[in-house]
Structure formats: structure tokens, C-alpha cells
Amino acid sequence: MTMLREQLLDDLSQATTAEQVEQVRIKFLGRKGLITNLAKDTDFSKLSPEEKRDFGAKLNDLKRLATDALQEAADRAKNAAESHAGAGGARIGQETRLIDLTVPGSSSTLGTLHPVTMIQMELEQIFEGMGFCVLDSPEAETEFNNFESLNIPGDHPARDMQDTFWLQNDMVLRTHTSANQVRALKRFGAPFRGIFPGRCFRYEAIDPSHENTFYQCEGLMVDRNISVANLIGVMKTLLSEIFKKEVKVRLRPGFFPFVEPGFELDLNCLFCGGAGCPTCGDGWIELIPCGLVHPRVLEFGGIDPNAFSGFAFGLGLTRLAMMRYGIRDIRHFNSGDVRFYEQFAPIV
Ligand code: PHE
């Protein structure tokens, strides 16, 4: 009996699942179990009353011990199964897979927004605050929208300023977001306030400040009695909000066939305060080409130039992002190099 007891405890110490414990039970206490057989195989008639009593007592002890040990082992197996399941342990077939909670987890990386996207989102918010709508627009344009409607006919030298990618179907990859001015006027009429941010393309030789693919944000406001004062007011509000402080601007004459008068709006250098530094040269940074909408453009858009006037500007989004984040080479933007993007705050 002592040997059976040892054997039982040994078997149970190896049984970790409920099924294995059950097998041990059957082996010892089942109908043909080793302990059950013990009583069956003994010829009681050969034993003296004293021996019978002794045998009976020992057998009962062994049965009680076996029942208790089996119960304990079954409880242990059940608890283990539950805690593994709780820790995310997956049951595969009859097995419970163990998970080592001390192994370091694999960290997932958070993505960031592209710096141009961040600037664009900020601009959209600022302009929406001033009552402007935000319009989406196509990157492949008609020659009419990109050039003719903007007072740039086929033989106009201004076409040379914008080296163009022509598509085989006579469309162009838009060279500027101004291509949406007439589209928007035709669709919404006057009065109108809107911005059209988007990607533009020019056939450029690429260097630190020139890219063939870049972003602009066009703005257009048409209403009664719009003047240069309105243009300056909106530009100053925009720049103060973007750079988080009051900024000084100046207008210089600039030529664009679709505005009259046309200007280059310069920003008083934020690095040197206008004294002159390596970034700006003479204290001013050329930032936003703009002007009052040419009467012909209004006419192309179906608007009466005697009743309405307007201003337009073409903000270089990529340029603005470079200034805002201190990025010195435009080629980083389209590089797809994660080491560049990782420097910007992750999206949370
Ligand atoms: N579309 C012009 C460019 O890309 C910029 C511009 C826009 C100028 C609106 C005046 C008014 O060069």
C-alpha cells in the first residue's frame, strides 16, 4: 500500500491539467483501478479478524488520501487554466499555452502628420474663422482653367514662368492653385470667400529651394467694394495667427496677369526683426504673391466687374512649413524618409 501511495502522489505531481488528473483518478480509483483492485484481489477468508481490521483501516486511509490528493490536484489544474486564460492565454486544442509576462513587449510606433498637412490644417482653421470655405480641387487641369481663364493665353510670355507637365490628353498638371479661381466663381458666384489648398507641379530643376511637386494654398474673396486694405487685413491676421505674434508686412509691385494691381507681400523677418540676416538678406522675406482680381478673370467667372471686386493670393504652403519649422531643404518634404517625419509630434 505504501508503494501505491507513492506511485499515486508521483503521478499527481506530473498531472497539470484537469484531464491528466482525471486519468490518474481512473488509474487508481476507477472500477478497475489499482486501489479498487486491492480490495478485490485480497482473499479475506485467509485473514484473521485482527488482520482484516488492520487491512480495512489502511485501505480506507489510502482511499481518503487518494481522494483528497486528487481533489487538490484537480483544483490546482482548474486555477492554473483560469489564470492563463485571464492573462490572455489561448487554449489550443486541449493544451493551455503559457505566456511569459516578463518578456518585454514590442513597442508600436506612432505616425506623425506631414508638416505640410499640419500647416494646411492650421490655415484651414484660421480661414474658416474668417468665413472662408475650403474647396478640394483636381490636380490635372484644363488648359483653360490653368492658363486662359487667368489671362494667360497661349502666346503669353507668362507661360514661360511656369514650366508645365502636359498630359497626353491636353490636360496639364496644374502649375498653381489659381486654376480654381474661375471654377469657384462659376460654381458659387459672388459674394465668395474660399481657399483651395493643394498640390502643384512644375517642370523644375531640383535644388534645396526648388521642387517639381509642392503645395500652395490659394485664397479668393469677391464682394462689393473689396480693396487692397481688405487684402492686407486678411494677410496680417493670417500671418499673426500662424506665427503667434503681431507681424509687419510690406507690399511690393509684382506681375501676375490675373491680378491688377499685383503684389509681392513680404514678411518682416522673424529671425532678425528686419535688421538683415543670412535667412532674409535685407530684413524682408518674400512670402505671398497676391493682388486684386483682374476684371477679365471676374468676367470669365460670370461676375460683373462693375458690381464686384476681389482679391486673390497664392500662399506657398511648402515655403510656409519651411519657415515655420526651420526646414532648410525643400527636398525633405517628398523624400519619404521617416527620419525626417519622425521629428514632428506624433498623432495622439
Ligand atoms: N498663382 C501664382 C503663382 O503660383 C501666385 C498668385 C496667386 C499670384 C494669386 C497672385 C494671386 O505664382
Side-chain angles (χ1 to χ4, degrees):
M1 284 207 219
T2 327
M3 265 177 57
L4 269 182
R5 186 168 161 266
E6 300 280 335
Q7 202 184 335
L8 170 81
L9 294 177
D10 195 40
D11 282 5
L12 276 184
S13 71
Q14 319 236 353
T16 51
T17 67
E19 289 80 4
Q20 288 164 349
V21 174
E22 176 61 9
Q23 259 151 34
V24 178
R25 191 191 67 76
I26 293 168
K27 178 173 169 190
F28 289 88
L29 294 180
R31 241 166 14 98
K32 291 181 183 156
L34 295 174
I35 294 179
T36 319
N37 284 348
L38 209 57
K40 278 192 208 157
D41 294 345
T42 305
D43 187 353
F44 284 92
S45 59
K46 289 193 179 144
L47 297 178
S48 69
E50 243 176 43
E51 282 174 321
K52 274 189 208 164
R53 209 180 311 127
D54 190 36
F55 181 89
K58 280 188 174 152
L59 185 67
N60 280 344
D61 279 349
L62 181 62
K63 277 188 184 165
R64 200 173 311 119
L65 177 127
T67 316
D68 288 349
L70 280 161
Q71 186 59 47
E72 217 178 280
D75 288 347
R76 219 182 318 127
K78 190 168 162 241
N79 285 344
E82 270 169 14
S83 71
H84 290 153
R91 260 177 175 267
I92 298 174
Q94 297 296 311
E95 296 262 314
T96 302
R97 196 197 278 170
L98 295 177
I99 288 188
D100 184 350
L101 298 176
T102 62
V103 173
S106 55
S107 60
S108 50
T109 43
L110 280 178
T112 66
L113 287 176
H114 192 282
V116 169
T117 309
M118 290 196 276
I119 283 281
Q120 181 180 324
M121 286 164 67
E122 246 182 85
L123 277 179
E124 288 178 3
Q125 233 177 10
I126 295 168
F127 276 104
E128 277 168 355
M130 291 193 277
F132 283 63
C133 64
V134 181
L135 296 184
D136 229 352
S137 46
E139 292 175 347
E141 266 296 0
T142 60
E143 189 179 355
F144 176 78
N145 279 342
N146 198 80
F147 292 121
E148 266 140 50
S149 70
L150 295 168
N151 240 356
I152 315 174
D155 55 356
H156 197 289
R159 285 215 181 182
D160 298 342
M161 287 163 39
Q162 301 189 354
D163 300 316
T164 313
F165 289 111
W166 290 93
L167 303 181
Q168 278 172 346
N169 59 1
D170 289 338
M171 304 274 278
V172 295
L173 291 185
R174 65 174 169 203
T175 58
H176 52 183
T177 43
S178 303
N180 290 295
Q181 289 191 15
V182 164
R183 174 186 283 112
L185 291 178
K186 275 191 193 155
R187 180 158 171 215
F188 296 102
F192 175 80
R193 284 182 213 189
I195 57 167
F196 336 121
R199 191 154 56 156
C200 303
F201 310 86
R202 290 187 198 178
Y203 181 62
E204 295 271 8
I206 295 171
D207 65 24
S209 51
H210 292 92
E211 248 290 10
N212 52 31
T213 305
F214 55 95
Y215 286 78
Q216 286 190 339
C217 180
E218 192 83 2
L220 178 63
M221 178 169 180
V222 175
D223 208 329
R224 295 181 195 278
N225 302 318
I226 294 293
S227 71
V228 176
N230 299 108
L231 169 64
I232 296 175
V234 169
M235 294 295 91
K236 280 191 77 166
T237 307
L238 161 71
L239 294 173
S240 305
E241 295 220 16
I242 287 272
F243 293 107
K244 314 263 184 268
K245 56 175 162 182
E246 194 69 23
V247 295
K248 267 206 261 174
V249 298
R250 77 172 182 194
L251 289 184
R252 277 182 299 119
F255 173 71
F256 305 94
F258 40 97
V259 283
E260 179 58 40
F263 307 105
E264 292 284 358
L265 184 139
D266 297 339
L267 175 68
N268 194 248
C269 180
L270 297 170
F271 298 110
C272 66
C277 70
T279 309
C280 64
D282 66 349
W284 295 93
I285 294 176
E286 186 181 316
L287 197 61
I288 313 179
C290 54
L292 295 189
V293 182
H294 196 287
R296 291 254 306 153
V297 176
L298 291 175
E299 275 170 6
F300 274 124
I303 310 284
D304 177 2
N306 296 314
F308 289 97
S309 54
F311 67 76
F313 60 87
L315 193 122
L317 269 187
T318 306
R319 184 88 175 268
L320 198 60
M322 287 175 82
M323 298 221 5
R324 172 71 182 275
Y325 298 114
I327 300 163
R328 297 195 177 242
D329 194 321
I330 197 171
R331 292 171 292 190
H332 288 307
F333 286 94
N334 296 335
S335 66
D337 187 338
V338 286
R339 290 170 303 176
F340 170 64
Y341 303 113
E342 272 168 0
Q343 298 172 57
F344 300 91
I347 315 162
V348 270

